[in-house]
Amino acid sequence: MASTSRLDALPRVTCPNHPDAILVEDYRAGDMICPECGLVVGDRVIDVGSEWRTFSNDKATKDPSRVGDSQNPLLSDGDLSTMIGKGTGAASFDEFGNSKYQNRRTMSSSDRAMMNAFKEITTMADRINLPRNIVDRTNNLFKQVYEQKSLKGRANDAIASACLYIACRQEGVPRTFKEICAVSRISKKEIGRCFKLILKALETSVDLITTGDFMSRFCSNLCLPKQVQMAATHIARKAVELDLVPGRSPISVAAAAIYMASQASAEKRTQKEIGDIAGVADVTIRQSYRLIYPRAPDLFPTDFKFDTLWTNYHSYKLRKLM
Amino acid sequence: MPASEIAELVPQLHNVVCTVNLGCKLDLKSIALLARNAEYNPKRFAAVIMRIREPRTTALLFSSGKMVCTGGKSEEQSRLAARKYARIIQKLGFPAKFLDFKIQNMVGSCDVKFPIRLEPLVLSHQQFASYEPELFPGLVYRMIKPRIVLLIFVSGKVVLTGAKVRNTFAFSVFQDKKELLHSY
């Protein structure tokens, strides 16, 4: 997904007799040799290996093999700028102790906003422990959107949050809008708007969310054992297949399925607890639960061990629920 | 629902928005003071909001002389209402004319009477359809030709908006879209 902003127009050396052959580089002699006929095409090629040996076990502050910053040039348009460092000798300080040469700013004036956004994305992702691949995808999406400039008027944070949402979706591990809201200062409405705009601008689409995408996360947050999680996944999937819950958000259906599975097992969770984790109101869970309850025996997996039989646990609670 | 019945479905119009140019500059302050059902709050919005009871419509009158009329239930009603507003302005002493009457938007709804499954619809029409249950319970289908936006709901109710001309509604494209929905 990295944008191809570099032109591939560098002149390539080729063997005169075999222009299609890929040249083999010989580092020791510094040659580029044609594998077909053995002709040495380019000589005195500069050796790009390291100048001196470095030992990685002693973590000295300076790494002698590094001559530049380790920023990824893929995302920030080639970070080849340098800056003058702070002085070390006595002559670099004036009489009050302030350093004489003070210019340490505007290292990368263009795309400073983009760097800022990347930092914000990393911070947001860190709050919900997202892996590096999602952060990279988010950065790429943001760069594409930023270069397109069609959403230039929108707040960068909003675009960053929406990119994060899209990246999670594209990687197959969607996060709910509410979860993204929790780590961002932008409202759900604005993130939703930016989301739709970005999909239109980049002309991509995302897969629909399913109930199973959220099961592992919600169940682990509720400390439910694996059997309950598997049962809940099964219940939710069957409920959607049998179309018992038309028009309900998959999150609500998932929450109701978790409720049903947890109530049937030894690890019971209240609707309020599940609602807090899933970001749905407990009345919403109640509504979806009412829809799936009549078909409860069909929804449970066949090998489920019931701690509380589904016929029992609602006889007294029925009035409260319904 | 058999295909023939779907073909006879004609959406009902619920709202028609039109604009008209009265052709003269308006003094909003005096209009707000003289006219009966007018509200004017220049700090909030730079237009006079006027309402008439028959047909029940609301108009926004701007100082340039342009007017937006909303709430009409049909094109004729909307035109009639716009003429009534122009008459009110005339009676207030402004040389109002009735230039460039144009219908900008028509909103209608209809019911296909069978439940619609939105997920297969969005899968097959990805470039036009957008369905985000977290954001809105209906599927937003942006038809290119004619340029209409349809909000399709699970219950089978469909809201159409964005049309400028009525026959874009009862269009053949709508018919075959409904037949498509029937297969879902």
Side-chain angles (χ1 to χ4, degrees):
Chain A
M1 287 244 349
S3 59
T4 49
S5 50
R6 291 170 289 165
L7 295 164
D8 254 1
L10 299 165
R12 315 220 57 173
V13 285
T14 52
C15 168
N17 302 326
H18 306 100
D20 293 327
I22 302 170
L23 299 173
V24 172
E25 294 182 356
D26 180 10
Y27 287 111
R28 265 169 287 166
D31 300 333
M32 290 178 80
I33 308 170
C34 167
E36 306 275 325
C37 58
L39 184 70
V40 174
V41 180
D43 57 350
R44 281 192 289 273
V45 167
I46 297 173
D47 181 13
V48 296
S50 55
E51 181 73 40
W52 45 76
R53 296 182 300 172
T54 52
F55 298 100
S56 55
N57 43 7
D58 54 334
K59 271 286 175 186
T61 49
K62 293 194 206 107
D63 185 7
S65 71
R66 284 225 168 271
V67 294
D69 203 2
S70 64
Q71 292 290 25
N72 38 6
L74 288 168
L75 291 180
S76 16
D77 275 349
D79 205 5
L80 295 172
S81 57
T82 58
M83 58 188 187
I84 300 173
K86 273 207 306 220
T88 45
S92 64
F93 293 96
D94 60 13
E95 55 263 24
F96 296 109
N98 305 320
S99 52
K100 272 190 189 164
Y101 186 71
Q102 280 157 338
N103 187 15
R104 288 209 72 195
R105 37 208 133 138
T106 60
M107 215 185 100
S108 59
S109 55
S110 71
D111 305 319
R112 155 145 307 215
M114 208 159 77
M115 304 225 90
N116 221 351
F118 290 159
K119 188 156 157 287
E120 190 61 39
I121 288 171
T122 315
T123 314
M124 284 198 294
D126 194 51
R127 289 194 189 117
I128 39 177
N129 300 321
L130 289 175
R132 190 69 217 170
N133 61 337
I134 292 185
V135 178
D136 288 339
R137 198 181 265 268
T138 312
N139 286 343
N140 273 317
L141 283 168
F142 187 88
K143 177 168 199 220
Q144 282 181 9
V145 168
Y146 192 76
E147 282 176 347
Q148 247 211 21
K149 295 193 192 303
S150 49
L151 280 96
K152 201 168 178 195
R154 301 265 170 191
N156 270 343
D157 283 347
I159 305 201
S161 310
C163 284
L164 190 62
Y165 178 81
I166 297 177
C168 292
R169 264 279 204 138
Q170 286 180 337
E171 290 283 329
V173 285
R175 298 290 186 272
T176 62
F177 275 109
K178 291 191 176 165
E179 287 174 310
I180 304 287
C181 260
V183 300
S184 166
R185 64 175 179 88
I186 311 288
S187 66
K188 176 170 180 259
K189 200 157 132 176
E190 186 58 29
I191 300 181
R193 277 199 207 125
C194 288
F195 164 73
K196 285 189 238 180
L197 288 171
I198 293 175
L199 284 187
K200 187 171 270 187
L202 299 180
E203 289 182 7
T204 36
S205 64
V206 284
D207 291 329
L208 264 190
I209 51 176
T210 57
T211 50
D213 297 330
F214 304 96
M215 280 304 174
S216 64
R217 209 161 351 111
F218 291 169
C219 292
S220 339
N221 286 346
L222 290 163
C223 308
L224 291 171
K226 189 95 172 73
Q227 294 88 337
V228 178
Q229 178 184 321
M230 282 165 57
T233 313
H234 190 268
I235 293 172
R237 201 187 65 231
K238 288 298 285 234
V240 172
E241 273 174 22
L242 299 171
D243 205 21
L244 302 173
V245 281
R248 299 274 160 193
S249 167
I251 319 287
S252 320
V253 176
I258 294 177
Y259 181 66
M260 188 180 261
S262 73
Q263 288 291 329
S265 72
E267 298 275 334
K268 294 180 178 32
R269 299 283 176 270
T270 62
Q271 288 179 347
K272 188 167 182 316
E273 286 174 339
I274 302 179
D276 276 338
I277 298 286
V280 291
D282 57 341
V283 287
T284 312
I285 302 182
R286 211 168 297 159
Q287 288 282 1
S288 299
Y289 186 73
R290 255 185 243 184
L291 292 170
I292 60 176
Y293 181 67
R295 299 288 295 270
D298 303 325
L299 300 174
F300 273 101
T302 41
D303 52 353
F304 185 72
K305 288 195 175 48
F306 285 90
D307 181 84
T308 319
L309 265 192
W310 61 272
T311 43
N312 298 343
Y313 63 90
H314 282 315
S315 51
Y316 63 96
K317 272 204 216 165
L318 216 54
R319 220 153 289 140
K320 185 167 150 194
L321 276 176
M322 305 291 176
Chain B
M1 193 170 168
S4 55
E5 281 183 37
I6 305 175
E8 283 159 22
L9 254 185
V10 172
Q12 291 176 291
L13 279 181
H14 287 282
N15 185 20
V16 175
V17 177
C18 66
T19 52
V20 77
N21 188 356
L22 298 173
C24 64
K25 294 259 174 287
L26 300 175
D27 180 14
L28 297 184
K29 208 150 168 220
S30 65
I31 294 177
L33 289 168
L34 295 170
R36 274 186 193 216
N37 308 315
E39 52 182 90
Y40 180 44
N41 197 345
K43 273 185 279 189
R44 241 183 81 203
F45 192 55
V48 167
I49 303 165
M50 198 184 290
R51 297 186 167 84
I52 56 174
R53 264 183 244 122
E54 175 56 51
R56 180 120 62 140
T57 47
T58 305
L60 304 172
L61 296 123
F62 292 86
S63 52
S64 60
K66 296 216 172 109
M67 178 174 84
V68 179
C69 173
T70 60
K73 292 283 182 216
S74 74
E75 305 94 310
E76 270 317 301
Q77 260 196 21
S78 188
R79 195 186 173 90
L80 177 65
R83 280 204 181 275
K84 286 197 180 178
Y85 285 111
R87 190 92 185 96
I88 296 175
I89 299 298
Q90 253 180 9
K91 287 208 180 139
L92 288 176
F94 296 92
K97 300 184 261 308
F98 201 75
L99 309 166
D100 307 323
F101 174 81
K102 183 169 181 227
I103 293 188
Q104 301 288 357
N105 186 20
M106 307 207 304
V107 181
S109 73
C110 66
D111 188 357
V112 300
K113 307 264 196 304
F114 53 83
I116 302 174
R117 303 195 64 214
L118 304 177
E119 299 87 15
L121 182 56
V122 76
L123 283 173
S124 54
H125 290 78
Q126 261 181 355
Q127 49 293 48
F128 308 117
S130 133
Y131 176 45
E132 282 301 316
E134 282 186 86
L135 293 177
F136 189 63
L139 194 157
V140 180
Y141 193 101
R142 291 179 191 273
M143 216 186 272
I144 310 284
K145 179 186 177 323
R147 243 182 41 124
I148 301 264
V149 176
L150 300 103
L151 302 174
I152 305 173
F153 294 91
V154 199
S155 55
K157 301 229 170 42
V158 179
V159 174
L160 307 96
T161 181
K164 290 214 183 341
V165 187
R166 182 192 274 267
N167 52 6
T168 54
F169 272 178
F171 216 66
S172 56
V173 191
F174 178 69
Q175 256 79 293
D176 68 29
K177 281 287 161 270
K178 292 312 128 195
E179 272 151 40
L180 224 60
L181 282 182
H182 187 238
S183 63
Y184 285 120

